[in-house]
Amino acid sequence: MTYFEKIKNKVKKEINPESVVLIDNSHLHTKHKSFDVNKFHLRIIIKSKKLKSMNKIEAHKEIFSILKEEMKEKIHALEIEIQ
């Protein structure tokens, strides 16, 4: 199982969304001063009735709490889109 599959499975387990798409945008940030090849810039698109029913800040907090360890270790930036 790849690192990205682990992230998707973790989100699926906690939220049970209709779908989860994870996009690695790290290549767009290589020229940034704080760029670290060991950390990812990710975009996650989650289709979830549960998250959609929450206000945006609470929904984002939910995702960040699920991925707390990943944010500390391997994710530099996470762009969240809730559908």
Side-chain angles (χ1 to χ4, degrees):
M1 183 181 304
T2 68
Y3 184 70
F4 296 143
E5 288 171 338
K6 287 179 185 176
I7 291 172
K8 286 169 65 171
N9 286 340
K10 195 169 185 182
V11 170
K12 287 177 182 177
K13 181 181 170 197
E14 295 291 326
I15 297 175
N16 194 25
E18 288 78 48
S19 68
V20 177
V21 177
L22 197 59
I23 302 165
D24 182 3
N25 283 330
S26 299
H27 66 282
L28 301 173
H29 302 273
T30 57
K31 298 203 187 303
H32 290 185
K33 189 176 185 178
S34 64
F35 182 76
D36 180 349
V37 294
N38 299 311
K39 294 201 170 196
F40 296 104
H41 289 251
L42 301 177
R43 175 183 172 116
I44 190 165
I45 303 167
I46 304 171
K47 185 172 183 177
S48 166
K49 290 177 186 163
K50 175 185 175 182
L51 293 177
K52 196 72 172 165
S53 70
M54 303 167 88
N55 74 48
K56 189 174 184 176
I57 292 172
E58 291 302 316
H60 283 221
K61 281 182 180 179
E62 179 85 12
I63 299 301
F64 282 119
S65 71
I66 293 167
L67 299 176
K68 181 172 50 177
E69 290 304 311
E70 291 79 3
M71 293 298 298
K72 286 180 189 173
E73 298 166 5
K74 298 285 279 176
I75 300 174
H76 174 75
L78 182 63
E79 180 183 352
I80 301 170
E81 180 181 331
I82 299 168
Q83 300 177 336

